Amino acid sequence: MPKSVGTAVTRNRARRRVRAALQELQRDGVLVLGEGEYRVSVLSPLTTLSALELRATLHGLFEELRR
């Protein structure tokens, strides 16, 4: 994540939130990712998004990639 997102604490928090949201989507069977590495880039702080909003946003992004 670029430094424009915020301090190291903010970037690490964003990284943990994205990772947790993706794990929840996979656990619930909503999102099925194949083996491999995926890179998700965040260009702004996620502090304004609730956990549900973040999850819905990530789900929508991965759905677009499948098309």
Side-chain angles (χ1 to χ4, degrees):
M1 283 182 214
K3 289 186 177 184
S4 63
V5 172
T7 64
V9 172
T10 303
R11 291 191 307 272
N12 288 332
R13 184 174 294 131
R15 190 175 295 117
R16 286 190 304 270
R17 289 187 68 202
V18 168
R19 189 178 302 130
L22 288 173
Q23 287 172 346
E24 286 178 21
L25 288 169
Q26 282 191 290
R27 184 184 60 233
D28 296 344
V30 175
L31 180 65
V32 178
L33 298 175
E35 291 293 321
E37 293 183 17
Y38 296 86
R39 179 170 271 191
V40 177
S41 181
V42 176
L43 300 177
S44 64
L46 301 175
T47 56
T48 60
L49 293 177
S50 70
L52 290 175
E53 290 171 329
L54 176 59
R55 185 178 159 155
T57 301
L58 289 170
H59 180 257
L61 290 173
F62 277 94
E63 283 297 315
E64 283 184 34
L65 288 175
R66 277 195 224 177
R67 296 182 197 158

